[in-house]
Amino acid sequence: MRIGRPPATLRGRLALLALATTAIWVAALTAVFNVELGSRLRQQADDLVRTRAAAVAATMEAQPDGRIIEHEPADDTALDVGIWIYQGTTAIQRPSASSALQDRADQLAGGGESSTDTSEPHAFRLYALPITAGDRQVGTVVASVGLDAYRYTARSVLAGSIGLCALLLTGVYLLTRTVVGRALRPVSEMSTRAAEWSEHGTAHRFGAESHLAELSGLAGNLNQLLDRQAAMLRHEQQLTAELSHELRTPLARITAETDWLTARPRDADDQRTSHEAIATAAARMQQICETLLSEARTRDHQVPGRSAVADVARALSERSSQEHPESPSVTVVGDDVTVGVSTVLMERILVPLLDNARRYAVGRITVECGREPGRVLVTVVDDGCGVPENVGEAVFEAGRRAHPGDGHDGAGLGLPLARRLARSAGGDIILAPSSEGARFVVSLPAG
C-alpha cells in the first residue's frame, strides 16, 4: 500500500477511521493532562519556596535602626538550606550554592517581593520576601527550591503518557480490525453464496430469520437480485427456445428448396417459385430476429418522451398502404391525445397490433383514440375472425398464434412484444370482448 493512499478494504478504512478519531481525542486529553500537571507542579514549587521564605522571615526581627536580629530555632538545619538573608543588600547568611545562583539571589536583595527561575543545567526557583520595619524594607529573605525533581516528574509523566497513547492506539486499531472483520464476515459469506447461487442458477435464497436485524435488509436485497437474475435467465431461455422453434420452420424451408434446386436442373418457373419461397422464408427469419432485437433495444435503452397517437397511427397507416396495397386501410378516429412515451416506442407498440389486424381483417381496421383520468386509451379493432375463446389471453404468450393453420406468416412474438413494451412504459394491453373481429385496448400514461 502506498503512503497516503487509503486502505482498499472496508475493514481497513473503518479501523483507520477509528484510529484517527481515537488519536485526536487521546492527543487532546494527553495535552490537557500534561499542561494541567505542569501547572500544578509549578504551583507546588511556588507554594514550597514561599512557605520556606515565610518561615525564615518569621524568625527575623527588624530593629528601628535597621538592624536584623535572627531568633534561630533549636534545629534550623533544614530551614537554612537554600536560604539567603540580606540586611539591606548585604548578605548576612549564604547557603552553599553555585556562583550563578548566588548572583541571582543578590539581584533580588532589596528589590521587594519577587520571584525568578534560573536557566542553568540545574534549575532553581528563587523567591524574595522583604523584611520591613514599619513601612521601610530593611532586609530580604531569599528562598530557593530545585526544579529538577518537578521537571523530571513532568517529563516522566509526558513520556509515560505518550507510551500509553501508543499502546492504546495500537490496541484500538487491532481491536477495531478484528471486530469489524468479524462483523463483516456474514456479509462476505452472503456475497460468496450469492455469487455461487447466481453462477449455478440454484433456487437457494437467504432466510431473514437466520441473520441479524442489520443484515436482514441486505439479505432481502440479495434475494431480490437473485430473483431478478433468475427471471431474466428464464426469460432469455424462453426467448432462445422460442427463437429456435420459430426459426426452425423457415430454415427448413430454405434448406429444402435449396436441396431441391441443386438436385437436378429446373426450368425458369420452378426456379422462380423456389427463389420466392426462399425469399419469403428469409424475410420471415428477418422479421423474427428484428422483433426480438427491437424488444431488447427498447428494454435496455428506453428514452422517455411524448407523442401524438393519431399522428403516429396515420403515419403507420400510410406506410402499411404503400407496403401492402392489397390490405385494408387503417382509419384513425377519436380525440387528438398525447401519450407520455416517445414516438419510436409508440410505433413499436402499435406496429404488432396493426400487423395482426392486417392479417385477419376483411375490409376494415380502426384505431380509436380516447382519454380517461391520467391515461390514454388506444383501441385497435378489425373485422376479421377474432381470437378464439379457447385462446383468449394466451394470445400474448410468446410463440402462440390465435390461428396456427391460417396460412399467415408470423413468429407469434408480435403481440407479446407489444404488451411488454406497453408495460415497460407504465401501461398495458388487453384483449377486450368484441362481437366481431378482434379488439385490443392499449392503455398508456397521458403526456
Side-chain angles (χ1 to χ4, degrees), residues 191-318:
S191 176
T192 302
R193 291 180 184 178
E196 293 176 353
W197 294 344
S198 62
E199 180 179 357
H200 300 290
T202 64
H204 296 291
R205 294 295 183 268
F206 298 102
E209 68 281 352
S210 61
H211 299 289
L212 299 175
E214 292 80 358
L215 298 179
S216 297
L218 176 61
N221 293 334
L222 288 177
N223 287 338
Q224 293 179 5
L225 179 62
L226 290 171
D227 291 339
R228 287 194 296 269
Q229 188 173 16
M232 292 177 60
L233 181 60
R234 289 193 300 268
H235 178 67
E236 296 297 333
Q237 291 174 343
Q238 179 184 4
L239 288 181
T240 301
E242 294 169 353
L243 182 62
S244 62
H245 174 75
E246 293 298 328
L247 291 178
R248 187 180 297 115
T249 300
L251 184 59
R253 179 70 180 275
I254 292 175
T255 302
E257 292 293 340
T258 303
D259 292 341
W260 187 78
L261 282 175
T262 58
R264 61 183 179 84
R266 305 292 178 180
D267 56 28
D269 291 339
D270 290 340
Q271 290 183 4
R272 183 172 57 256
T273 302
S274 294
H275 290 163
E276 291 177 355
I278 292 173
T280 301
R284 182 179 178 186
M285 293 177 65
Q286 182 181 7
Q287 178 189 9
I288 294 172
C289 294
E290 288 181 351
T291 300
L292 295 177
L293 290 176
S294 174
E295 180 196 10
R297 285 193 299 267
T298 303
R299 183 176 64 235
D300 296 336
H301 305 286
Q302 191 176 116
V303 179
R306 301 172 72 248
S307 59
V309 177
D311 295 341
V312 174
R314 292 189 185 97
L316 294 177
S317 174
E318 294 176 1

Side-chain angles (χ1 to χ4, degrees), residues 411-434:
L413 300 175
L415 294 179
L417 171 63
R419 170 175 272 188
R420 281 195 291 270
L421 296 180
R423 287 180 173 177
S424 69
D428 200 359
I429 299 178
I430 62 172
L431 175 64
S434 177

